[in-house]
Structures are given as structure tokens and as C-alpha cells.
Amino acid sequence: MSTSNTAPGDADPAVREELARLRDSIDNIDAAVVHMLAERFKCTQQVGRLKALHRLPPADPGREARQIARLRALAEDARLDPAFAEKFLNFIIAEVIRHHERIADDTVNGATP
Amino acid sequence: MSTSNTAPGDADPAVREELARLRDSIDNIDAAVVHMLAERFKCTQQVGRLKALHRLPPADPGREARQIARLRALAEDARLDPAFAEKFLNFIIAEVIRHHERIADDTVNGATP
């Protein structure tokens, strides 16, 4: 083993095989997560339409605080960094609020679904 | 229906019920995603240890480009914004690289698993 970095192709076959096995699992998980997120956005689009139609505010700080507390607890049980789980939820919520504001604008402008 | 925003508690019961139903689905999906991500980080931690042990570089731009292209295609099939899927993967990869650099540092300093 040298102290300088080597390219993955230079690693011995057993290492490359193990790396390929782990990457296959990562790719499977990513496909599952993408499909879960697609389903999640279908739900939040419906929430957005409902809120726009009934003039409810796009953001809901109380709901978000409960979601964050719950996800942090779930993350701890699953041995995932709770700080990362919170960052992840904030990342998703930012996207959802962007969608909701767009839906609200479209509704006010009479252009909605 | 008024033109000013109302709090969710003020909405009529059918609307509140529909909102609660959608939020239950969102919470179920979030729990599933958190567990998927916990499993994903277990895989990437193993990848990180393997790379550190064999002095492979933490980042792998070729692999990342393939992952992004694949996830964008999966997102399109699932009717998820491909730009969001790419942003999401970059968000996860940034976290993974942070972990790998930490594992590599620990390995160099002889403090590794």
C-alpha cells in the first residue's frame, strides 16, 4: 500500500469487487429514495393546492417544528446523524415552499389546475 | 372564502381532514426516506473505509457524473423535477465526502475502525 492516492481501477480485484457491490446497493437505495420523493411531492402538491384554494399560508412553522423533532428522533433510532436529518428536511421543505408559492401565485392569477 | 390568509385551524373540517390525511402520508414517506438514508450512509461509510485503507481518493467525479445522469433519468420517469433530483444527490454526496475525509484523516492518524 502506497501513501499516495491511487485511482479505483488500480486497486486489487477484491477491493474493486467490494466497491462495486456497495455501489450497487447505493444505486438501489437512490432509486428507491427518488421514487419516495416523487410520491412525497405528489402529496405536497395536493397540500399546496388545498392551501391556495382555502387561502391558508404556504409555510406552517408549528407543523415544521413537529416534523423536525420527529425526524431527529427517527434518525437517532436508525443511527443517522440527527443534525443531517434536520438539514435534509429543511432542504426538502425549502423546495416544497417554492412549489407552494408558485401554486398560490397561479391560483391568484386564475391559472390553476 | 376571504382574500386574506387564514390559519389551518380556521379552515372547514373537510379541508382540515384532507390536510391531515396528506400530512400522514408525508410523515410515512419521511420515515421511510430517513431509514433509507441511514442504510445508504452505512454503505458509504464502508466505501469510505475501503477507500481510506487502499488510499483511493475520497471523490470520484466519473462515478458522480454517472449517478447524476441515472438519477435524472429515474426522476423523469417518476415525474420528479430532474434538476431537483440532481440537487438532492449533490446534497447527499457533499455529506458523504465530508464523512470520507474524516475517515481518511482518522486512518492516517491511526485512529480508525
Side-chain angles (χ1 to χ4, degrees):
Chain A
M1 201 191 303
S2 107
T3 52
S4 64
N5 281 343
T6 49
D10 301 336
D12 79 62
V15 172
R16 271 185 288 148
E17 204 174 294
E18 176 71 357
L19 201 56
R21 191 187 64 77
L22 290 164
R23 285 176 164 178
D24 275 351
S25 293
I26 291 166
D27 288 346
N28 284 342
I29 292 169
D30 283 348
V33 170
V34 158
H35 286 88
M36 295 304 249
L37 291 179
E39 200 55 31
R40 192 189 197 283
F41 282 110
K42 279 172 62 183
C43 293
T44 53
Q45 297 287 66
Q46 280 187 269
V47 169
R49 273 192 284 269
L50 212 58
K51 285 182 171 180
L53 208 60
H54 298 277
R55 312 274 173 185
L56 301 169
D60 184 339
R63 155 84 175 150
E64 280 162 40
R66 286 188 300 276
Q67 280 176 290
I68 286 170
R70 176 177 173 268
L71 272 206
R72 288 186 67 105
L74 283 172
E76 269 186 76
D77 283 348
R79 296 175 177 275
L80 180 71
D81 177 7
F84 175 77
E86 178 168 349
K87 223 163 60 175
F88 168 75
L89 187 66
N90 284 330
F91 174 80
I92 302 287
I93 288 176
E95 183 75 8
V96 169
I97 290 177
R98 224 169 49 76
H99 290 186
H100 284 189
E101 284 167 348
R102 209 167 50 207
I103 293 171
D105 288 348
D106 290 348
T107 305
V108 168
N109 299 327
T112 283
Chain B
M1 200 190 302
S2 106
T3 50
S4 64
N5 280 342
T6 50
D10 301 336
D12 79 60
V15 172
R16 271 186 288 149
E17 205 174 292
E18 175 71 355
L19 202 57
R21 193 188 62 78
L22 289 164
R23 285 176 163 178
D24 275 351
S25 294
I26 291 167
D27 288 346
N28 284 341
I29 292 169
D30 283 348
V33 170
V34 158
H35 286 89
M36 294 303 248
L37 291 179
E39 199 56 32
R40 192 190 197 281
F41 281 111
K42 278 172 64 182
C43 292
T44 53
Q45 296 286 66
Q46 280 187 271
V47 169
R49 272 192 285 268
L50 212 58
K51 283 180 170 179
L53 208 60
H54 298 278
R55 311 274 173 185
L56 301 169
D60 184 340
R63 155 85 174 151
E64 280 162 39
R66 286 188 301 276
Q67 279 176 291
I68 286 171
R70 177 176 173 269
L71 271 207
R72 288 186 68 104
L74 284 172
E76 271 187 74
D77 283 348
R79 296 175 176 275
L80 179 72
D81 177 8
F84 174 77
E86 179 168 348
K87 222 160 63 175
F88 168 75
L89 187 67
N90 284 330
F91 174 80
I92 302 287
I93 289 176
E95 183 75 9
V96 169
I97 290 176
R98 224 170 48 77
H99 290 186
H100 284 188
E101 285 167 349
R102 208 167 50 208
I103 294 171
D105 287 351
D106 289 350
T107 306
V108 167
N109 299 328
T112 284

